[in-house]
């Protein structure tokens, strides 16, 4: 017979854990857990110079689907033998020239990446996203206050090919049931 108990984690998500009965425990040692993926090189695709097309939702949380469009360059360089990356963004759009920087850090104990953005106009760090890659797709999450509302943020790295990829940020006001994309960047490798 299996007995179950529920553990709540900090985000309010329940995890079911079962304890085997003594009859099950006598069947022999449990098989070892699967090897943890060392994700230190998961962002290696991002190194180099890129052309970018960015679409940013003008007014999040209003139901509007009106996006600002920007074009420019993104340059990403390796730091600490790949355990960190520094991304520099320069784009032009309707509001003029815009610059930003993103710092990516790999935590070898947690096997997770953090992604922290810095807007040159504000000169301050944003709340960072944290997550990992699975099956060629990176998903990083945070909880932030945007527009006076507490929301979940999801950053997704996808469609990764040698010369292109996509990064998309979305927010959820309902605990992750639905997501609204508010920042989409399509990148293609810049040719010398």
């Amino acid at each position: 017979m299996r007995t179950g108990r529920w553990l709540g984690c900090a985000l309010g998500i329940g995890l079911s854990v079962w304890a085997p009965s003594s009859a099950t425990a006598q069947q022999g040692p449990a098989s070892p857990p699967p090897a943890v993926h060392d994700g230190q090189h998961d962002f290696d695709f991002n190194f180099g110079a890129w052309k970018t097309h960015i679409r940013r939702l003008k007014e999040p949380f209003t139901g509007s689907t009106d996006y600002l469009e920007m074009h420019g360059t993104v340059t990403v360089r390796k730091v600490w033998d790949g355990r960190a990356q520094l991304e520099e963004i320069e784009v032009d759009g309707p509001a003029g020239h815009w610059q930003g920087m993103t710092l990516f850090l790999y935590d070898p104990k947690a096997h997770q990446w953090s992604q922290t953005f810095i807007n040159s106009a504000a000169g301050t760090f944003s709340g960072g996203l944290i997550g990992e890659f699975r099956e060629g797709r990176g998903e990083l999450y945070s909880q932030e206050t945007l527009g006076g509302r507490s929301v979940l943020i999801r950053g997704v790295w996808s469609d990764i090919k040698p010369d292109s990829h996509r990064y998309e940020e979305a927010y959820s006001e309902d605990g992750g049931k639905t997501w609204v994309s508010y920042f989409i960047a399509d990148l293609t490798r810049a040719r010398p």
Side-chain angles (χ1 to χ4, degrees), residues 88-179:
E88 297 176 79
I89 307 160
E90 290 201 38
V91 297
D92 292 298
H97 191 71
W98 175 79
Q99 294 177 298
M101 183 180 299
T102 308
L103 176 63
F104 298 85
L105 297 171
Y106 182 67
D107 180 341
K109 290 181 182 175
H111 302 279
Q112 291 181 315
W113 282 91
S114 65
Q115 175 181 335
T116 306
F117 177 74
I118 305 112
N119 183 331
S120 66
T124 59
F125 286 94
S126 69
L129 301 165
I130 296 177
E132 61 191 307
F133 278 76
R134 290 192 180 151
E135 299 177 11
R137 176 183 165 101
E139 290 191 11
L140 294 87
Y141 295 88
S142 73
Q143 184 174 350
E144 296 183 19
T145 301
L146 295 175
R149 301 177 63 110
S150 181
V151 297
L152 293 177
I153 304 294
R154 177 182 67 192
V156 175
W157 294 86
S158 65
D159 300 328
I160 300 167
K161 299 176 182 80
D163 292 324
S164 65
H165 60 274
R166 171 178 272 207
Y167 176 69
E168 184 172 340
E169 281 190 12
Y171 68 84
S172 174
E173 297 179 282
D174 59 12
K177 294 175 187 163
T178 60
W179 295 91

Side-chain angles (χ1 to χ4, degrees), residues 52-117:
T52 187
H53 172 226
I54 296 173
R55 290 170 283 155
R56 186 178 61 79
L57 195 58
K58 283 184 181 180
E59 297 181 36
F61 313 109
T62 63
S64 170
T65 57
D66 195 14
Y67 283 83
L68 290 172
E69 302 222 8
M70 299 174 271
H71 293 84
T73 60
V74 174
T75 305
V76 183
R77 65 183 176 93
K78 183 189 300 191
V79 181
W80 299 338
D81 195 32
R83 294 184 318 273
Q85 294 184 15
L86 192 60
E87 175 184 75
E88 297 176 79
I89 307 160
E90 290 201 38
V91 297
D92 292 298
H97 191 71
W98 175 79
Q99 294 177 298
M101 183 180 299
T102 308
L103 176 63
F104 298 85
L105 297 171
Y106 182 67
D107 180 341
K109 290 181 182 175
H111 302 279
Q112 291 181 315
W113 282 91
S114 65
Q115 175 181 335
T116 306
F117 177 74

